[in-house]
């Protein structure tokens, strides 16, 4: 059987993506870092809706933890593989660059960019041998436009777009697609402390987006219908000019 793996599926956009892929009939592996209660709530909601999911905690910025988690899962699922990978886990550590610490730079790069590299490389081989794969990378408006206070986050998200384009060309002939989704402002824990009333005025749609709206786009890119779309970065931002 083939599975979807969603990183950062305990909360926010990742949770909505996991719920949506499960509703579409895929068994989903729910990755998260530390918030077990939130991950269990996602699992519960998927099962209550008739879907199938399993928890798979690991820190995407830790290559050894990735290897251990995937190896353990393969041990229990020798005939199964991951055909849909959504690299969604991400953090913000905002600071003006002149004040940015080494840790703030490194943690954001390690989570978004290096996490994408290690996990995707680990899962790619089976997608290629089965000639069936969908990789969706959650980037950001910040990676397209650059946002002040986010030199680390903008760099990591822009690099993820570059990697998406390169990998898409490497694997297209084997029926594996690689795309990026670039949300604007979406209402989640990550944006909970932002001045929403002020920011809304800049957004032509006049509101923040919902995690479910991002999930609908990701589900389409993960579907068989999206077989001829690859190497793209699709914005979902209520018309915010980028
Ligand atoms: P969120 O509500 O803060 O949730 C972050 C999720 O990522 C949580 O499930 C968290 O797990 C997980 N996570 C963080 N670091 C991790 C790590 N090292 N290993 C494994 N999981 C980790 O964030 P969100 O708003 O849903 O954002 C999801 C993605 O969309 C991110 O890549 C973000 O950059 C991107 N994005 C968000 C917005 C927005 O406006 N919200 C806009 C553009 C792009 P725990 O629960 O265990 O902490």
């Amino acid at each position: 059987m083939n599975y979807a793996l969603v990183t950062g599926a305990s909360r926010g956009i990742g949770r909505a993506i996991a719920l949506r892929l499960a509703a579409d009939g895929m068994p989903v592996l729910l990755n998260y870092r530390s918030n077990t209660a939130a991950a269990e709530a996602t699992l519960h909601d998927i099962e209550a809706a008739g879907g199938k999911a399993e928890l798979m905690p690991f820190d995407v910025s830790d290559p050894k933890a990735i290897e251990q988690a995937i190896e353990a899962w393969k041990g229990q699922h020798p005939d199964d593989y991951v055909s849909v990978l959504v690299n969604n886990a991400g953090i913000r550590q905002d600071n003006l660059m002149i004040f940015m610490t080494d840790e703030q730079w490194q943690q954001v790069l390690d989570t978004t960019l290096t996490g994408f590299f290690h996990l995707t490389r680990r899962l790619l081989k089976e997608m290629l041998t089965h000639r069936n794969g969908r990789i969706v990378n959650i980037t950001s408006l910040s990676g397209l436009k650059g946002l002040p206070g986010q030199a680390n986050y903008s760099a990591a998200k822009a690099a993820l777009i570059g990697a998406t384009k390169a990998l898409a060309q490497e694997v297209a002939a084997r029926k594996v697609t690689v795309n990026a989704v670039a949300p604007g402002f979406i209402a989640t824990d990550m944006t909970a402390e932002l001045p929403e009333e002020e920011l809304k005025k800049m957004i032509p749609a006049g509101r923040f987006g919902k995690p479910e709206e991002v999930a609908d786009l990701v589900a389409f890119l993960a579907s068989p219908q999206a077989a001829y779309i690859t190497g793209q970065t699709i914005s979902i931002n209520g018309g915010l000019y980028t």
Side-chain angles (χ1 to χ4, degrees):
M1 188 184 284
N2 44 332
Y3 279 68
L5 167 51
V6 181
T7 66
S10 50
R11 295 183 283 123
I13 293 171
R15 172 192 149 85
I17 293 168
L19 280 158
R20 176 60 208 271
L21 293 176
D24 285 352
M26 287 206 89
V28 184
L29 303 175
L30 306 172
N31 163 261
Y32 61 102
R33 181 181 41 186
S34 57
N35 196 334
T36 306
E40 282 174 348
T42 305
L43 175 63
H44 173 270
D45 291 350
I46 287 174
E47 289 177 342
K52 247 187 88 176
E54 293 172 32
L55 300 185
M56 192 190 259
F58 59 83
D59 180 343
V60 296
S61 70
D62 178 349
K64 284 202 190 79
I66 291 176
E67 190 55 37
Q68 280 167 5
I70 302 295
E71 275 303 300
W73 184 78
K74 284 300 294 179
Q76 291 163 350
H77 295 259
D79 299 326
D80 299 331
Y81 73 104
V82 173
S83 65
V84 172
L85 170 61
V86 183
N87 288 300
N88 164 80
I91 52 167
R92 285 201 299 134
Q93 295 271 344
D94 297 355
N95 210 341
L96 294 176
M97 186 148 143
I98 195 161
F99 302 123
M100 190 172 281
T101 64
D102 291 0
E103 290 73 27
Q104 286 173 328
W105 175 263
Q106 205 58 51
Q107 280 173 8
V108 169
L109 268 288
D110 285 351
T111 303
T112 288
L113 185 59
T114 313
F116 149 82
F117 169 67
H118 286 118
L119 183 58
T120 306
R121 187 181 61 179
R122 179 65 184 77
L123 297 174
L124 199 52
K125 192 172 162 197
E126 280 186 305
M127 292 187 197
L128 296 173
T129 51
H130 286 92
R131 288 181 154 67
N132 176 28
R134 294 280 183 272
I135 298 166
V136 183
N137 299 321
I138 307 300
T139 175
S140 171
L141 173 80
S142 187
L144 290 166
K145 181 179 187 289
L147 289 176
Q150 294 197 324
N152 50 358
Y153 187 86
S154 297
K157 294 297 195 184
L160 192 56
I161 291 171
T164 298
K165 292 177 182 172
L167 182 59
Q169 295 172 66
E170 293 179 15
V171 298
R174 297 279 189 113
K175 299 187 173 23
V176 176
T177 68
V178 191
N179 289 291
V181 165
F185 292 100
I186 309 298
T188 68
D189 292 346
M190 188 178 271
T191 52
E193 280 160 27
L194 298 181
E196 185 169 345
E197 287 309 308
E198 275 306 302
L199 290 167
K200 261 170 27 179
K201 293 178 193 155
M202 301 181 331
I203 305 169
R207 63 175 178 88
F208 278 18
K210 300 177 196 150
E212 294 75 18
E213 292 174 315
V214 181
D216 285 341
L217 172 56
V218 172
F220 175 67
L221 292 172
S223 74
Q225 287 74 28
Y228 204 53
I229 303 173
T230 197
Q232 301 305 305
T233 300
I234 302 181
S235 287
I236 174 161
N237 59 23
L240 200 54
Y241 184 66
T242 52

